[in-house]
Amino acid sequence: MRTNGQAGLAVRKLRLAKGLTLAELSQRTGVPLSTLSKLELGQSALGYEKLLLICRALGVDPGLTLLQDPLNAAAAPSGRRAVSRAGDAHAHNMGPHPCRVVAADLLSKCFTPMVISIKVRSLGEHGPMQALGGETYLHVLQGIAVLHTDIYAPLSLEAGESVYFDGRVGHAILAGGETPCQALLVVSGDETLATTQR
């Protein structure tokens, strides 16, 4: 069983992945907003029945998410999977880039994949460099991407080319051609949406 803090963190990540506010989740579950807030902060615990209500409202299987011991999950295959059809992925922003995050409903992932659309062409347009939580893989699907980092010269990548780099290093991804670029971005762990500016 997850601890209260783990369950709260799981609820928060799932809620954000679904694009819901605390108030909206409260309306869907009947659980008071203040109670949900305390749960997400690890300041209170909920009974099994209320956690089931939250799981149903978020559209997830409690056996594979909120109520699963992550140590046991790593020790034995769970058979879990997340299928993303065209248009199903959750829309977010990765810095200045719109992106579609897939498998957002699965927790305790080893990596998080997303497809990003890169339209900005200059560092001024991009804004501050970003930093992610772990190692990162960038594979250009179409167009040209230019990766700027704090420690390397800019790297230009065409469709079919890729780079594996430490996402914790400040970086910016720009479009290198006249047309927007689309790329697959894979970041280790499942905290990828919490980016920081450098």
Side-chain angles (χ1 to χ4, degrees):
M1 183 73 70
R2 283 179 177 262
T3 66
N4 296 337
Q6 289 172 319
L9 177 61
V11 168
R12 181 176 186 277
K13 290 196 293 187
L14 287 166
R15 176 178 64 79
L16 292 175
K18 298 288 185 181
L20 296 174
T21 65
L22 274 172
E24 289 168 335
L25 183 58
S26 176
Q27 288 177 337
R28 291 188 182 195
T29 60
V31 178
L33 188 150
S34 60
T35 303
L36 289 173
S37 178
K38 289 179 181 177
L39 172 68
E40 288 192 3
L41 294 172
Q43 297 173 350
S44 68
L46 290 183
Y48 184 78
E49 293 300 322
K50 287 187 177 178
L51 283 176
L52 284 180
L53 287 174
I54 292 170
C55 286
R56 289 189 190 115
L58 294 172
V60 297
D61 181 346
L64 297 179
T65 52
L66 296 183
L67 306 178
Q68 186 178 50
D69 183 338
L71 296 178
N72 289 338
S78 67
R80 68 180 184 160
R81 72 176 191 179
V83 177
S84 296
R85 305 289 186 191
D88 281 353
H90 299 282
H92 291 282
N93 285 324
M94 178 63 67
H97 312 301
C99 70
R100 300 190 315 274
V101 178
V102 295
D105 55 335
L106 294 181
L107 300 174
S108 301
K109 296 189 293 291
C110 294
F111 62 90
T112 299
M114 62 195 81
V115 176
I116 62 172
S117 298
I118 307 163
K119 300 177 182 178
V120 298
R121 293 183 174 82
S122 70
L123 288 174
E125 194 180 355
H126 182 280
M129 294 231 182
Q130 302 283 311
L132 298 171
E135 295 185 323
T136 304
Y137 174 75
L138 176 71
H139 182 96
V140 179
L141 301 173
Q142 66 182 46
I144 300 172
V146 180
L147 175 65
H148 292 258
T149 68
D150 285 339
I151 57 177
Y152 291 106
L155 173 66
S156 180
L157 298 166
E158 297 183 4
E161 298 180 332
S162 62
V163 60
Y164 186 106
F165 66 100
D166 186 348
R168 295 170 298 179
V169 172
H171 64 273
I173 305 171
L174 307 178
E178 292 300 319
T179 59
C181 173
Q182 191 171 64
L184 171 68
L185 187 70
V186 181
V187 182
S188 61
D190 57 3
E191 300 282 350
T192 61
L193 299 183
T195 61
T196 57
Q197 296 182 341
R198 302 284 296 245

